[in-house]
Amino acid sequence: MKNGNSLARIKRDLSVSKDAMQSAPALPPRAQTEEAALRARVIAEVARDRFAPPKAIDTLLWIAGILDCVAADILDGPSETHGVAPKALEGLCSAEALALAHPAARFAPGFTLYVLSPLFGTPLPIPAPLRPVTRRLARREANILHRIVALNADREQSAKHPEEWLRLVMAAWREWVSLAGGVELDNARPDNRRCARP
């Protein structure tokens, strides 16, 4: 996925219209900027610490390096893109594109919204339905979904213990990405294919 297309998709996900971007303050309040930068650094640390197959290690380190740069770019100062330096948005697009191209990194689509949410106030991502056929996988999906929704809504925890909160969020999303791969394989089994829900 090219960065230009990724950038357009992230802007669309954020639902930021051109008029809204022009009317927004040149720089968000400092606390919001610092929170966004902190989140980028925490996810970078998560990427570095993540256990993964050898082929995914380089990708994780690459994502971590990009997010370190994003954190610095967010703190850089005024910009023409809704208070966020264009380099930061481009970096987030690159990190998402890498994660999409390397599923073994176990980062879900939209994970960069956790970085941008303090600046734009956009809703945090929610997992799309996996529709597993096997009941055991359906129970796991319900459990992980509940955790992600609860963590997304826990503003007290995210405010008082932002690093711990974000690590829990990323861990839950990692489980969901892993489960998604398992559901895809399980639903494709001949015995399950006939039962798969549309």
Side-chain angles (χ1 to χ4, degrees), residues 97 108 154 170 181:
D154 194 345
M170 291 296 111

Side-chain angles (χ1 to χ4, degrees), residues 24-34 74 77-79 81-84 118-120:
L27 183 69
R30 188 65 182 178
Q32 295 176 9
T33 304
E34 291 177 350
I74 288 174
S79 70
T81 314
H82 204 174
V84 183
L119 303 173
F120 293 89

Side-chain angles (χ1 to χ4, degrees), residues 130-147 175-176 179 183 197:
L130 298 177
R131 298 184 175 88
V133 173
T134 304
R135 290 183 180 180
R136 174 179 57 84
L137 297 180
R139 287 194 295 269
R140 281 193 62 197
E141 179 189 18
N143 177 271
I144 297 171
L145 174 62
H146 173 77
R147 285 165 54 200
E175 289 187 40
W176 183 85
L179 177 64
V183 168
R197 287 169 283 175

